[in-house]
Amino acid sequence: MGVYKAGVNGTNGTATTTTYSCWNMRIRCWCRWRWENHQQQHLHNLLHQRLVSLVFPPGFISFMGYLVLYGSIGMFYAWFMFSKPYLRSTNAGVWLNSLGCQEDNEGSWSIGVFYGDSPFSLKSIEAVNEWRDGVAAWPVANPVVTCASPSVAGIPSNFVADPFIYVQGDTLFLFYETKNSITSQGDIGVAKSNDKGATWQQLGIALDEDCHLSYPYVFNYLGQIYMMPESSQKGELCLYRALNFPLQWTLEKVLVKKPLVDSFIINHEGEYWLFGSDHSGFGARKNGQLEIWYSSSPLGPWKPHKKNPVYNVDKSVGARNGGRPFSYDGNLYRVGQDCGETYGRRVRIFKVEVLTREDYKEVEVPLGFEESNKGPNAWNGARYHHLDVQQLSSGRWIAVMDGDRVPSGDPVHRLILGSASFVAVTVVVVVLGVLHGIVKCVAPLNWRAHFPWKRNNALLGWERSNLFSSKVRRFCSRLNRVPLSVRGKVKPGTWAGNLVLAVIFAVGVASMCTGVKYFYGGNGAEEPYPVNGSYSQFTLLTMTYDARLWNLKMYVRHYSRCSSVKEIIVVWNNGTTPRPGDLDSAVPVRIRVEDHNSLNNRFKKDPLIKTRAILELDDDIMMPCDDIERGFNVWRQHPDRIVGFYPRLASGNPLKYRGEKYARDHEGYNMILTGAAFIDHAVAFERYWSNKAKAGRELVDRYFNCEDLLLNYLYANESLSQTAEYVRPAWAIDTSKFTGVAISRNTYEHYKVRSNCLLKFSEIYGSIAGQKWEFDGRKDGWDL
């Protein structure tokens, strides 16, 4: 109701009515504006919520959460298993200072040397104990030439393969294919040895052409030295003659206008024969085809064999040549490649029974070469595809063979499997989301947005054209019934349901770790470390008894596959001796049964040990082969020291035995426990069993403890310089802690006895408290 008010200047009350009407209209307009504003704000909030739910739906957040969790697990796994915080020694090769030895899809081929009384009794160089005290390997071990060899000499190389020897008196020349890591082209490198192949001096590149070269078959004819490398990229087989052997060559002539691979020439029964494979022809089977030509001279002209191709079969038969043919006991033998499992899987030997212009027959014979069981930890564990064997003037046979740790195309193989593993992780995440009810298939009935303003014809047309979304929604509705059905069967929240979820989660963890392994873990090889370009091997020695047989089985299986382990010696102190079949080993295992149980047996003189280096390693310590190899590398640089993985600092007045934490807190050590240490057995065992050490050995038997402390005192007593070297492992596990057969179960009593030993040994041999060596970050691996 309005209030009547007299008009102004005698007017009547109509003005009041007008004022009332305007006020009423103003209120109505204000209410309408507030209502429309409220509606727009509500619509804005609704659109914002829909946008947020569209961009960050609960399923998306859950998906990302699981991926972050799995990613964290993968990062931890990579750090724990594959990270190497230490730097490789500069002696290790070319990884830090050149472009050589890069990962290559063709492999990481290297070259080894073998000796034998015949071509069928070849043994690796380390098996014949080629000792070289003047170099860093005792004895020298294969491979003797790697990609690092030419790379260090200034010729970046990704691999070396296809080796051929040329003998001049007591000097051996090695010609081989080296793949340039910059141009990816194969060149012919050459090296020289004056010590029967134990060490090689790189001379340079003998032949570098515009095309890829390999398989440098070198031979002598009428006083001239010729090389016939594979040059199939040029579509012809070329012969080169040495102008200034071994580095200067000139093209003599083109022998055959065909892209032959892996060819050789031999003189057999007064006629020259050319063997090679042409994979370019129609119907030719790659690595399964072989052709023969004949001539009265290695310079040609060459005529084809009547039965060409003499082979056009499966690639595993060995048709493709794999090195120089040789004669033995009046018979001719051809070397072929078995490429069945992967390219260059192994070499096979064939005895040639018939070789005439009309016929060719051969039969396979055993090579007598024993393959390594170390897998990628062996330099030729995956494949070996080339052999050149020759008889020296002494009557002894020498051979060179190439080998690789990984099969052909390994990087691509790892990429595919790694990607598949990560896809599996994604699938597991989706499955977990479905089982938790937070992942659903959602689609609106239509895509039309409810805007307050008028839509134009184009927008209306777009909306009508997208009515198919209703079909999509019906499909999603049906699809959403599947997880409901699955959840009904799994029943999350129950004991059985939670077990299923845990198993699915574990599958995701395993898939993530597998993917990280293939992407970040490399080819899985834990390779040895060279010193001054040479490799070596050591003997692993442990001491145990029957109650710890399960420990020994795991120990032997793991460490026998480390690259540089030559033999394992088990000092058996008590109980029933294990049978040979009880231990799964990739190297020979010798069990040395002792008459009485004594810790002194650990350092007993043993004339059957074939290496200078001994790794004394307790049977309850498990650590990566890479740490073992790194420790061996350090010992070869300091063979006069005890090099090991557990440091101790004996200090105080009176002397007291404490753990590694004490040594680190006081930033130094003066002892290395020989429960995990490299030593020169000839020196260490001699000192341990000297008359000077007799009183110490009696204390060891009395306490049944402290044999490692005694050896440290004996070393310190013989030298004023550093006698111990510490190398920190990436990780190590004491497996005896999981059982009741640990030797030192009471740590307090164990340390008390060892403190008494320190006092006794100091009275006999003098105190070592004044010695202290700082931790070296380059070997420690954590204080860089």
Side-chain angles (χ1 to χ4, degrees):
M1 174 182 284
V3 178
Y4 181 82
K5 184 176 181 181
V8 180
N9 296 328
T11 58
N12 55 23
T14 56
T16 303
T17 305
T18 304
T19 303
Y20 175 84
S21 300
C22 290
W23 176 255
N24 188 43
M25 182 65 69
R26 192 173 298 153
I27 292 175
R28 291 176 63 186
C29 290
W30 178 82
C31 292
R32 181 178 180 183
W33 177 85
R34 289 293 304 270
W35 172 253
E36 291 179 351
N37 186 61
H38 174 73
Q39 288 290 90
Q40 290 181 4
Q41 185 65 32
H42 176 71
L43 178 62
H44 174 76
N45 292 338
L46 181 62
L47 290 175
H48 178 72
Q49 293 175 3
R50 289 183 177 180
L51 181 63
V52 170
S53 63
L54 181 64
V55 178
F56 300 108
F60 174 80
I61 296 175
S62 171
F63 183 82
M64 294 305 298
Y66 272 120
L67 286 184
V68 170
L69 177 60
Y70 278 121
S72 302
I73 294 173
M75 291 176 63
F76 174 78
Y77 177 75
W79 171 81
F80 183 74
M81 293 298 296
F82 307 118
S83 64
K84 298 179 181 180
Y86 48 83
L87 294 176
R88 288 182 182 265
S89 166
T90 53
N91 282 317
V94 298
W95 293 273
L96 300 180
N97 55 17
S98 85
L99 297 174
C101 296
Q102 303 298 314
E103 186 175 58
D104 195 296
N105 195 47
E106 292 189 70
S108 55
W109 296 93
S110 53
I111 298 171
V113 173
F114 297 77
Y115 305 99
D117 296 328
S118 78
F120 300 102
S121 62
L122 298 174
K123 294 182 179 180
S124 185
I125 188 171
E126 60 267 18
V128 297
N129 290 327
E130 286 290 335
W131 291 70
R132 292 291 180 271
D133 286 344
V135 297
W138 307 276
V140 175
N142 280 328
V144 296
V145 179
T146 69
C147 57
S149 305
S151 295
V152 168
I155 309 167
S157 172
N158 271 10
F159 65 76
V160 292
D162 292 354
F164 284 97
I165 291 179
Y166 187 83
V167 182
Q168 279 189 343
D170 294 332
T171 302
L172 302 177
F173 292 92
L174 179 69
F175 293 86
Y176 57 88
E177 173 195 358
T178 172
K179 184 176 181 180
N180 191 299
S181 58
I182 300 175
T183 65
S184 295
Q185 178 176 292
D187 301 321
I188 304 304
V190 60
K192 180 177 72 172
S193 175
N194 294 316
D195 55 8
K196 301 177 183 177
T199 58
W200 294 88
Q201 175 191 356
Q202 298 298 315
L203 301 180
I205 295 297
L207 201 58
D208 181 4
E209 297 283 53
D210 294 335
C211 64
H212 185 93
L213 299 177
S214 62
Y215 206 84
Y217 182 75
V218 182
F219 63 96
N220 187 291
Y221 174 67
L222 298 179
Q224 297 289 327
I225 303 176
Y226 294 91
M227 182 196 301
M228 187 178 67
E230 177 194 323
S231 55
S232 58
Q233 281 188 355
K234 295 177 66 175
E236 54 191 23
L237 182 63
C238 300
L239 184 68
Y240 295 82
R241 177 172 52 85
L243 294 178
N244 186 10
F245 185 83
L247 290 174
Q248 293 184 6
W249 301 79
T250 184
L251 178 62
E252 183 72 8
K253 67 180 301 184
V254 176
L255 297 181
V256 180
K257 286 283 188 178
K258 294 189 74 172
L260 296 180
V261 299
D262 297 352
S263 304
F264 64 74
I265 296 175
I266 58 168
N267 186 339
H268 180 67
E269 295 182 353
E271 200 154 23
Y272 287 90
W273 302 88
L274 170 63
F275 285 63
S277 299
D278 179 9
H279 298 157
S280 64
F282 178 78
R285 298 200 180 190
K286 191 172 183 179
N287 300 324
Q289 195 259 14
L290 179 64
E291 298 181 33
I292 302 175
W293 290 263
Y294 59 90
S295 174
S296 59
S297 165
L299 304 181
W302 293 96
K303 298 180 181 180
H305 193 276
K306 183 179 180 180
K307 288 189 174 182
N308 272 349
V310 294
Y311 281 124
N312 192 22
V313 291
D314 186 82
K315 57 186 177 182
S316 65
V317 172
R320 181 170 178 172
N321 294 321
R324 188 192 305 268
F326 59 90
S327 296
Y328 179 68
D329 282 349
N331 296 309
L332 176 65
Y333 296 89
R334 184 183 70 87
V335 183
Q337 293 186 47
D338 179 349
C339 299
E341 301 172 30
T342 181
Y343 168 69
R345 174 60 187 89
R346 62 175 61 85
V347 296
R348 299 170 65 175
I349 304 299
F350 300 91
K351 178 182 177 182
V352 178
E353 296 184 329
V354 177
L355 176 55
T356 65
R357 295 184 180 185
E358 293 78 23
D359 199 8
Y360 178 76
K361 292 181 180 180
E362 64 182 16
V363 60
E364 185 174 5
V365 296
L367 173 60
F369 174 76
E370 185 175 349
E371 295 186 9
S372 172
N373 294 324
K374 295 186 178 184
N377 287 353
W379 70 278
N380 59 350
R383 49 185 180 162
Y384 52 96
H385 81 334
H386 184 99
L387 175 69
D388 182 18
V389 55
Q390 298 188 48
Q391 188 173 22
L392 302 176
S393 58
S394 63
R396 195 182 190 190
W397 290 79
I398 186 172
V400 286
M401 177 186 289
D402 61 9
D404 196 359
R405 299 180 180 278
V406 296
S408 179
D410 181 68
V412 175
H413 173 76
R414 287 188 279 114
L415 175 64
I416 294 173
L417 293 181
S419 301
S421 298
F422 288 141
V423 170
V425 173
T426 306
V427 172
V428 167
V429 169
V430 173
V431 171
L432 289 173
V434 167
L435 292 177
H436 281 104
I438 52 181
V439 175
K440 294 182 180 180
C441 181
V442 178
L445 288 174
N446 56 65
W447 298 105
R448 185 177 66 182
H450 296 278
F451 299 108
W453 55 84
K454 184 178 180 179
R455 297 181 295 278
N456 57 32
N457 293 333
L459 183 59
L460 288 172
W462 181 86
E463 291 175 354
R464 284 193 296 270
S465 66
N466 282 274
L467 291 178
F468 74 93
S469 61
S470 60
K471 299 179 181 179
V472 175
R473 186 173 180 83
R474 286 195 296 271
F475 171 77
C476 290
S477 298
R478 297 189 186 98
L479 192 62
N480 287 331
R481 297 171 189 169
V482 177
L484 290 175
S485 175
V486 173
R487 292 185 66 205
K489 294 179 180 179
V490 174
K491 298 179 181 178
T494 65
W495 182 89
N498 291 336
L499 178 61
V500 172
L501 292 176
V503 170
I504 295 175
F505 181 81
V507 170
V509 171
S511 299
M512 173 59 72
C513 293
T514 302
V516 170
K517 172 186 174 183
Y518 283 120
F519 272 106
Y520 189 70
N523 57 35
E526 295 186 273
E527 303 178 25
Y529 290 74
V531 174
N532 295 334
S534 296
Y535 295 88
S536 186
Q537 290 187 319
F538 62 87
T539 300
L540 183 62
L541 187 147
T542 191
M543 185 166 60
T544 190
Y545 61 104
D546 54 356
R548 297 160 65 92
L549 180 59
W550 76 274
N551 244 25
L552 181 64
K553 290 180 179 180
M554 183 169 54
Y555 176 98
V556 169
R557 178 177 176 80
H558 172 64
Y559 289 116
S560 68
R561 286 159 175 82
C562 295
S563 295
S564 299
V565 174
K566 181 181 181 66
E567 181 186 26
I568 297 177
I569 298 176
V570 179
V571 178
W572 196 261
N573 270 350
N574 188 26
T576 305
T577 307
R579 296 169 297 179
D582 292 338
L583 304 176
D584 176 12
S585 178
V587 300
V589 177
R590 178 161 59 93
I591 299 177
R592 198 178 75 199
V593 181
E594 301 295 343
D595 296 332
H596 65 284
N597 190 4
S598 171
L599 294 180
N600 290 320
N601 292 333
R602 178 190 291 273
F603 305 118
K604 187 175 181 179
K605 295 180 182 179
D606 190 339
L608 297 181
I609 295 176
K610 301 180 178 66
T611 64
R612 179 172 174 179
I614 283 281
L615 172 58
E616 296 271 358
L617 185 63
D618 288 346
D619 67 327
D620 52 14
I621 296 177
M622 299 296 292
M623 64 177 68
C625 285
D626 185 73
D627 286 327
I628 298 296
E629 296 294 343
R630 186 160 51 95
F632 186 38
N633 171 265
V634 173
W635 178 83
R636 281 184 290 152
Q637 298 174 60
H638 306 286
D640 58 329
R641 302 176 185 176
I642 301 173
V643 177
F645 304 93
Y646 291 93
R648 295 291 186 267
L649 178 63
S651 62
N653 189 15
L655 280 177
K656 194 171 182 180
Y657 183 86
R658 301 176 179 88
E660 181 176 341
K661 185 178 185 300
Y662 178 84
R664 289 198 169 275
D665 290 343
H666 290 75
E667 300 179 347
Y669 61 96
N670 53 17
M671 293 190 301
I672 292 293
L673 300 189
T674 58
F678 285 94
I679 55 177
D680 182 340
H681 77 92
V683 174
F685 293 1
E686 183 67 32
R687 290 176 182 175
Y688 196 87
W689 289 94
S690 64
N691 291 330
K692 184 187 298 186
K694 183 178 180 181
R697 295 196 304 272
E698 291 175 351
L699 281 172
V700 170
D701 279 336
R702 183 190 310 171
Y703 291 120
F704 203 78
N705 204 327
C706 307
E707 81 288 352
D708 49 353
L709 305 185
L710 174 57
L711 189 64
N712 276 272
Y713 269 89
L714 295 175
Y715 263 74
N717 195 254
E718 293 289 337
S719 176
L720 297 177
S721 60
Q722 183 172 347
T723 57
E725 192 79 44
Y726 168 62
V727 179
R728 183 169 183 171
W731 55 267
I733 299 174
D734 183 354
T735 58
S736 69
K737 302 301 183 184
F738 305 115
T739 70
V741 293
I743 293 177
S744 307
R745 290 188 289 273
N746 190 325
T747 302
Y748 174 78
E749 288 298 326
H750 177 63
Y751 276 34
K752 183 178 179 180
V753 171
R754 292 173 80 80
S755 294
N756 290 336
C757 289
L758 291 177
L759 296 176
K760 297 291 185 181
F761 291 154
S762 295
E763 293 175 1
I764 301 173
Y765 306 108
S767 177
I768 62 173
Q771 296 180 339
K772 183 180 177 181
W773 306 296
E774 295 181 357
F775 293 101
D776 187 347
R778 290 174 300 172
K779 304 178 186 68
D780 190 339
W782 301 87
D783 302 326
L784 298 176

